[in-house]
């Protein structure tokens, strides 16, 4: 209670911000999880105004606007480079605590008529002489050299220096064309005289290696050598191109690799070498371990980090941080064995007025037993955000007195309001259609004092098709003359707007109207997670810090059972599975849109968001594996794998935003969600295209800014101490003069 009182006092005394600053400068953060470099194409961003409103004021201020327009038709509001990790070049094994590197490269189709030919052009930094530590164990990303990128985009612009010296991996001497391996990685096969077809730098001949973690291509044709490294977890499907008796012409016989992060890789093999079969078999085996009854590479990866990421989130500690338990809310372990709801976490916060028997009855009336459970509570008004799944109303219009009373308990826990909002993420037509499947939505006649609002966010199938269209627009080449119309046709930003608008409506009801909100979609693990997490990000500045954002993802996405394995397809070769959808990618995109509007309110940069997305696919860490908390416990993920947060927290300085102001931690953010304030996150979606990359590695300037900021803060502290000492020294003399 004391902690909540302190927080309340801070929120009352501080401004509650509706900030709309200009777009934050692009950053290029070479970190141990991701390296982002490249040349910058022309772009412009218009600054928007900030509007602050104080919580103690009787009326809340309206926010300004944040808009970003680009003069570069080939990009969104800004142009960005791809992200990837660097490579270890020195002799000896990588130092402990340093993640492995993953380097991606672009490629061109064997068949130029293929529309989906995408590419990642990547290359690692390995200088001769003294060894340089590996930059990261990044998932599928692309990197270019930091040295002098020119506008003509010569081959040297997308290549990085690689030493020609022989290196050692542990006690074993490696050949010049044999890559250094990360802890737990094993070389499974090597094919020589393979040609990588890149749409940006042309065909490259070299050596293709396959390990149990990644695909590695190295070409010595250029100086510096060309490199491409891709974690196999990013592979969606593999197809053979050409046949032994049908292929005619150079580079017409090989394989094409389709990736989950909107890239394709094409390799041409010589038929007489008989190398394609070996490479294909190894790729199929280790890119799809779940389909071949093999463990994920995360279970063999044994890198050591300074921080233990698995301890970043503890459910009881997070609930206590929010001020629980209270007179109206209690913490229960009724689901400790996952018997009541197998997709929910073991620890819940529920209304104190509801007994355990009431919880069981409500679970029987909610889809998959996912009852309304507390996500966040306002420190002053006690208004809450609770999440659940749809009620099992059906075509006959079933009712549950227990469920109706339970919703009433949630409303009664907030003494400042006699109304509760039920935010249904679905379009109303879809909600009505779900009645035929036994689902449905709450009737305002049955749920007294409740108002149901539909947020019109489409389902996973619509989102998957929208991303597919976006891939065609961004890869491998960008049609500058029709960029805006092509982007509009994907409807990707329309969906981003709907999700952001829904989350903003929830945050406004809780903050401005002091009413509690119940959020659900169909099963409560896709759109529901998007809405609750985004609204909490707007309301609570803790979630805008680096450790706080990790807690937010662990809580709202991982513990509450977003089906990462099915939505991403980890280790599964069924690329046409209807359960796959970019739900989490869409959420991170929404976070970036907010970060762009409020560059001072986030402790982390967009590079951390890209690192998270890259490792969503990489299967290097155990964080995003499996579908629920229960499955991760059964697979002993916390004891047998490394957490992604170990990487991020151990290299926290690499992700820090120099523009961050800690004073914004107690501010509420109301982002603008109209289409003119949204733009494509081209630093992520267009990062493989060299023409979209920045000339200057901004991460270097950001580190300089952080250093200058630290020095200025120290100088301010010294001046304050000097002023205080001077006032103390002068006070007796001033008093005697007055007398």
């Amino acid at each position: 209670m004391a902690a909540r009182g302190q927080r309340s006092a801070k929120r009352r005394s501080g401004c509650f911000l509706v900030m709309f600053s200009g777009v934050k400068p692009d950053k290029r953060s070479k970190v141990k999880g991701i390296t982002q470099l490249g040349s910058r194409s022309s772009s412009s961003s218009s600054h928007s105004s900030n509007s602050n409103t104080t919580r103690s004021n009787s009326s809340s201020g309206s926010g300004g606007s944040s808009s970003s327009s680009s003069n570069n038709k080939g990009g969104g509001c800004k142009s960005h480079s791809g992200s990837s990790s660097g490579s270890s070049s020195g002799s000896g094994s990588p130092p402990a605590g340093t993640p492995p590197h993953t380097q991606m490269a672009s490629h061109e189709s064997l068949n130029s008529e293929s529309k989906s030919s995408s590419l990642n052009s990547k290359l690692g930094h390995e200088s001769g002489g003294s060894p340089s530590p590996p930059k990261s164990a990044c998932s599928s990303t692309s990197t270019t050299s930091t040295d002098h990128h020119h506008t003509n985009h010569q081959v040297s612009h997308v290549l990085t220096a690689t030493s020609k010296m022989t290196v050692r991996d542990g006690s074993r001497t490696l050949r010049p064309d044999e890559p250094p391996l990360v802890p737990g990685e094993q070389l499974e096969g090597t094919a020589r005289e393979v040609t990588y077809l890149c749409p940006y730098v042309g065909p490259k001949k070299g050596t293709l290696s396959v390990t149990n973690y990644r695909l590695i291509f190295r070409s010595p044709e250029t100086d510096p050598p060309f490199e491409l490294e891709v974690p196999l977890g990013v592979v969606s499907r593999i197809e053979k191109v050409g046949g032994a008796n049908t292929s005619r012409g150079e580079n017409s016989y090989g394989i094409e690799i389709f990736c989950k992060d909107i890239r394709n890789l094409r390799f041409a093999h010589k038929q007489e070498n008989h190398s394609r079969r070996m490479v294909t078999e190894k790729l199929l085996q280790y890119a799809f371990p779940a389909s071949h009854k093999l463990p994920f590479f995360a279970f063999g990866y044994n890198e050591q980090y300074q921080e233990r990421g698995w301890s970043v989130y503890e459910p009881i500690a997070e609930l206590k941080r929010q001020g629980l338990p209270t007179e109206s809310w209690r913490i229960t372990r009724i689901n400790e064995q996952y018997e009541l709801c197998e997709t929910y976490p073991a620890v819940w916060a529920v209304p104190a007025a509801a007994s355990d028997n009431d919880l069981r009855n409500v679970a029987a009336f909610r889809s998959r037993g996912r009852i309304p459970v507390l996500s966040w509570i306002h420190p002053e008004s006690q208004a809450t955000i609770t999440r659940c799944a749809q009620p099992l109303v059906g075509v006959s219009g079933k009712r549950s007195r227990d469920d109706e009373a339970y919703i009433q308990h949630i409303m009664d826990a907030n003494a400042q309001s006699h109304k509760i909002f039920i935010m249904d993420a679905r379009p109303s037509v879809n909600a009505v259609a779900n009645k035929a499947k036994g689902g449905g939505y709450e009737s305002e006649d049955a749920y007294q004092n409740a108002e149901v609002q539909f947020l019109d966010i489409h389902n996973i199938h619509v989102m998957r098709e929208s991303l597919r269209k976006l891939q065609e627009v961004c890869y491998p080449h960008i049609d500058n003359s029709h960029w805006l119309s092509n982007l509009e046709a994907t409807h990707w930003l329309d969906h981003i707007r709907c999700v952001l608008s829904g989350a903003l409506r929830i945050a406004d009801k809780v903050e401005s109207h002091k009413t509690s909100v119940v959020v659900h979609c169909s099963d409560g693990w896709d759109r529901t997670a998007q809405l609750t997490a985004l609204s909490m990000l707007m309301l609570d500045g803790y979630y805008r810090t680096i450790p706080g954002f990790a807690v937010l993802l662990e809580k709202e996405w991982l513990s509450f059972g977003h089906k990462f394995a099915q939505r991403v397809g980890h280790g599964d070769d069924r690329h046409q599975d209807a359960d796959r959808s970019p739900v989490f990618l869409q959420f991170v995109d929404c976070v970036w849109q907010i970060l762009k509007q409020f560059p001072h309110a986030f402790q982390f940069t967009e590079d951390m968001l890209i690192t998270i997305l890259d490792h969503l696919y990489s299967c290097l860490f155990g964080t995003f594996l499996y579908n629920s908390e229960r499955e991760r416990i059964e697979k002993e993920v916390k004891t047998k794998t490394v957490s992604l947060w170990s990487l991020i927290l151990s290299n926290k300085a690499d992700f820090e935003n120099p523009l961050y102001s800690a004073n914004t931690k107690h501010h509420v953010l109301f982002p603008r969600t109209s289409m003119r304030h949204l733009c494509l996150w081209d630093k992520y979606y267009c990062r493989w295209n060299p023409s979209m990359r920045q000339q200057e590695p901004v991460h270097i300037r950001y580190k300089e800014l952080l250093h200058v900021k630290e020095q200025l803060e120290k100088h301010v502290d010294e001046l304050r101490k000097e002023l205080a000492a001077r006032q103390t020294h002068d006070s007796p003399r001033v008093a005697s003069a007055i007398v």
Side-chain angles (χ1 to χ4, degrees):
M1 294 296 289
R4 186 172 73 251
Q6 293 175 0
R7 292 176 56 204
S8 300
K10 290 181 180 179
R11 292 173 70 95
R12 285 193 296 270
S13 62
C15 289
F16 118 63
L17 217 61
V18 186
M19 308 182 339
F20 293 101
S21 294
V23 179
K24 181 171 58 178
D26 297 335
K27 296 164 290 300
R28 199 67 63 215
S29 175
K30 182 189 286 186
V31 299
K32 295 181 181 178
I34 193 162
T35 305
Q36 302 164 313
L37 310 165
S39 58
R40 180 185 183 88
S41 63
S42 62
S43 67
S44 67
S45 59
S46 61
H47 290 273
S48 54
S49 61
N50 288 350
S51 175
N52 301 351
T53 59
T54 306
R55 188 185 306 278
S56 59
N57 292 346
S58 58
S59 62
S60 70
S62 61
S65 69
S66 171
S67 64
S68 177
S69 61
S70 176
N71 295 330
N72 176 11
K73 295 181 180 179
C77 56
K78 284 184 180 290
S79 302
H80 307 286
S81 76
S83 60
S84 177
S85 42
S87 171
S88 171
S89 63
S91 60
S93 58
T98 306
H101 75 295
T102 299
Q103 305 168 338
M104 313 318 222
S106 310
H107 88 284
E108 175 150 49
S109 306
L110 289 170
N111 182 356
S112 61
E113 296 178 357
S114 174
K115 291 179 65 178
S116 60
S117 173
S118 48
L119 151 138
N120 56 346
S121 182
K122 163 61 205 207
L123 332 92
H125 254 355
E126 295 188 44
S127 57
S130 61
S132 60
K135 301 300 179 192
S136 103
C138 168
S139 62
S140 50
T141 51
S142 109
T143 311
T144 56
S145 173
T146 57
D147 301 328
H148 309 299
H149 295 267
H150 304 291
T151 55
N152 58 359
H153 302 298
Q154 298 295 333
V155 173
S156 61
H157 300 164
V158 291
L159 298 181
T160 52
T162 305
S163 64
K164 298 180 180 179
M165 61 184 293
T166 301
V167 298
R168 291 182 177 273
D169 180 21
S171 59
R172 186 170 64 91
T173 301
L174 300 176
R175 299 171 41 144
D177 61 347
E178 189 174 352
L181 306 178
V182 306
E185 188 177 19
Q186 297 179 354
L187 186 63
E188 299 294 336
T190 299
R192 293 177 173 82
E193 296 185 86
V194 175
T195 301
Y196 168 62
L197 299 167
C198 172
Y200 303 128
V201 297
K204 299 294 177 185
K205 292 184 179 180
T207 301
L208 181 65
S209 301
V210 180
T211 74
N212 56 340
Y213 166 56
R214 54 187 167 159
L215 173 149
I216 306 168
F217 176 81
R218 294 190 173 189
S219 172
E221 287 186 344
T222 59
D223 188 16
F226 182 96
E227 294 187 351
L228 164 74
E229 301 187 4
V230 186
L232 298 183
V234 80
V235 176
S236 177
R237 74 181 191 271
I238 302 167
E239 294 183 357
K240 294 181 179 180
V241 178
N245 300 321
T246 59
S247 297
R248 296 291 184 271
E250 188 178 7
N251 300 334
S252 61
Y253 177 84
I255 59 176
E256 180 171 12
I257 301 172
F258 296 84
C259 299
K260 297 171 184 175
D261 57 356
I262 66 174
R263 298 168 302 155
N264 298 343
L265 309 172
R266 293 203 177 194
F267 297 94
H269 293 252
K270 291 186 175 181
Q271 297 186 36
E272 58 270 21
N273 290 349
H274 304 289
S275 60
R276 187 176 77 167
R277 174 180 294 183
M278 180 276 295
V279 170
T280 303
E281 290 178 351
K282 294 298 182 181
L283 286 176
L284 289 172
Q285 182 178 6
Y286 292 104
F288 310 119
S291 298
H292 292 83
K293 297 183 175 9
L294 294 175
F296 291 103
F297 179 74
F299 288 91
Y301 178 61
N302 54 11
E303 186 63 88
Q304 301 297 316
Y305 293 92
Q306 295 178 351
E307 300 288 339
R308 185 177 185 274
W310 292 122
S311 60
V312 70
Y313 171 64
E314 203 287 312
I316 299 293
E318 170 57 16
L319 291 173
K320 288 183 177 179
R321 185 194 70 84
Q322 297 186 30
L324 297 175
T326 66
E327 294 179 356
S328 302
W329 292 90
R330 67 185 178 95
I331 299 174
T332 177
R333 294 182 179 273
I334 189 174
N335 197 47
E336 192 167 20
Q337 302 301 320
Y338 306 101
E339 294 177 352
L340 191 59
C341 178
E342 63 179 10
T343 60
Y344 259 16
V347 177
W348 302 350
V350 297
S355 65
D356 286 354
N357 190 54
D358 292 335
L359 300 181
R360 294 186 180 91
N361 293 336
V362 173
F365 188 68
R366 291 281 168 173
S367 177
R368 304 183 187 275
R370 296 172 67 88
I371 74 170
V373 174
L374 179 75
S375 283
W376 190 79
I377 184 170
H378 196 286
E380 296 174 13
S381 67
Q382 303 296 292
T384 59
I385 299 175
T386 52
R387 58 179 297 169
C388 59
Q390 64 182 339
L392 301 179
V393 176
V395 292
S396 61
K398 296 178 183 177
R399 293 181 58 177
S400 169
R401 300 295 182 185
D402 294 296
D403 191 77
E404 295 165 14
Y406 187 82
I407 298 297
Q408 184 67 33
H409 292 326
I410 295 176
M411 190 197 74
D412 293 340
N414 174 16
Q416 297 196 36
S417 177
H418 299 287
K419 188 175 185 179
I420 189 170
F421 286 91
I422 299 176
M423 299 292 188
D424 193 322
R426 302 166 292 182
S428 58
V429 174
N430 295 19
V432 173
N434 277 344
K435 285 187 174 182
K437 302 177 183 179
Y441 59 94
E442 296 84 353
S443 169
E444 293 182 0
D445 295 332
Y447 292 83
Q448 299 296 321
N449 304 314
E451 180 178 335
V452 179
Q453 295 186 1
F454 296 97
L455 303 181
D456 297 324
I457 303 173
H458 289 281
N459 60 29
I460 62 173
H461 312 295
V462 175
M463 303 307 179
R464 181 176 60 248
E465 177 63 15
S466 179
L467 181 63
R468 185 192 65 78
K469 293 179 179 178
L470 183 63
Q471 293 173 349
E472 295 180 353
V473 170
C474 295
Y475 248 37
H477 300 289
I478 293 173
D479 183 359
N480 291 332
S481 59
H482 300 92
W483 167 252
L484 293 178
S485 59
N486 290 341
L487 178 60
E488 182 183 13
T490 68
H491 298 293
W492 182 255
L493 290 181
D494 287 329
H495 299 315
I496 294 294
R497 178 187 57 80
C498 287
V499 175
L500 275 174
S501 297
L504 178 62
R505 191 183 301 185
I506 295 169
D508 180 61
K509 295 300 181 186
V510 173
E511 177 62 34
S512 303
H513 299 273
K514 297 179 171 55
T515 54
S516 296
V517 179
V518 177
V519 186
H520 71 73
C521 49
S522 295
D523 292 319
W525 49 44
D526 291 318
R527 288 166 285 190
T528 300
Q530 290 178 332
L531 292 170
T532 57
L534 287 171
S535 58
M536 291 162 64
L537 193 75
M538 298 174 191
L539 291 165
D540 194 337
Y542 169 70
Y543 298 124
R544 301 192 290 267
T545 65
I546 293 176
F549 192 72
V551 169
L552 182 67
L553 298 191
E554 286 281 346
K555 180 178 183 292
E556 291 301 302
W557 288 89
L558 292 159
S559 70
F560 273 100
H562 175 65
K563 300 194 295 183
F564 279 101
Q566 291 188 13
R567 295 291 179 259
V568 177
H570 287 142
D572 192 343
D573 60 3
R574 296 177 299 172
H575 64 274
Q576 293 183 330
D577 189 346
D579 281 332
R580 296 194 181 183
S581 186
V583 177
F584 185 73
L585 166 62
Q586 194 175 48
F587 160 75
V588 177
D589 195 329
C590 290
V591 174
W592 177 79
Q593 300 286 347
I594 303 174
L595 186 152
K596 180 174 65 70
Q597 293 188 27
F598 306 100
H600 306 290
F602 288 81
Q603 187 187 22
F604 52 85
T605 65
E606 61 183 320
D607 294 324
M608 190 180 86
L609 299 179
I610 295 177
T611 300
I612 291 172
L613 286 176
D614 286 337
H615 288 300
L616 170 68
Y617 306 115
S618 71
C619 295
L620 182 67
F621 300 100
T623 302
F624 296 117
L625 298 182
Y626 306 108
N627 290 318
S628 65
E629 181 178 287
R630 177 182 181 178
E631 290 184 15
R632 294 183 191 96
I633 289 178
E634 291 176 348
K635 301 296 184 180
E636 302 179 82
V637 169
K638 286 191 175 183
T639 58
K640 293 184 177 180
T641 70
V642 179
S643 169
L644 170 60
W645 312 123
S646 297
L647 167 69
I648 290 178
L649 295 178
S650 296
N651 303 280
K652 188 176 177 180
D654 294 324
F655 298 104
E656 287 184 341
N657 174 17
L659 303 179
Y660 174 64
S661 173
N663 295 330
T664 64
K665 192 171 182 179
H666 303 289
H667 297 164
V668 174
L669 311 182
F670 286 164
R672 288 298 182 94
T673 59
S674 62
M675 284 299 295
R676 68 189 183 92
H677 294 112
L678 304 179
C679 65
L680 184 70
W681 187 12
D682 50 1
K683 184 174 180 179
Y684 179 76
Y685 299 109
C686 303
R687 56 183 168 159
W688 317 117
N689 192 325
S691 67
M692 301 297 294
R693 294 176 180 150
Q694 292 181 331
Q695 286 183 325
E696 181 180 28
V698 182
H699 70 278
I700 297 177
R701 178 162 297 181
Y702 268 35
K703 286 185 178 294
E704 294 173 352
L705 288 176
L706 284 170
H707 178 70
V708 172
K709 181 180 179 181
E710 182 181 359
Q711 296 299 317
L712 290 175
E713 289 175 346
K714 289 181 179 179
H715 186 55
V716 169
D717 290 338
E718 292 174 357
L719 291 177
R720 285 175 177 170
K721 291 178 181 179
E722 181 180 345
L723 179 61
R726 185 175 301 176
Q727 289 176 343
T728 302
H729 176 73
D730 293 344
S731 58
R733 184 176 59 186
V734 172
S736 66
I738 293 175
V739 173

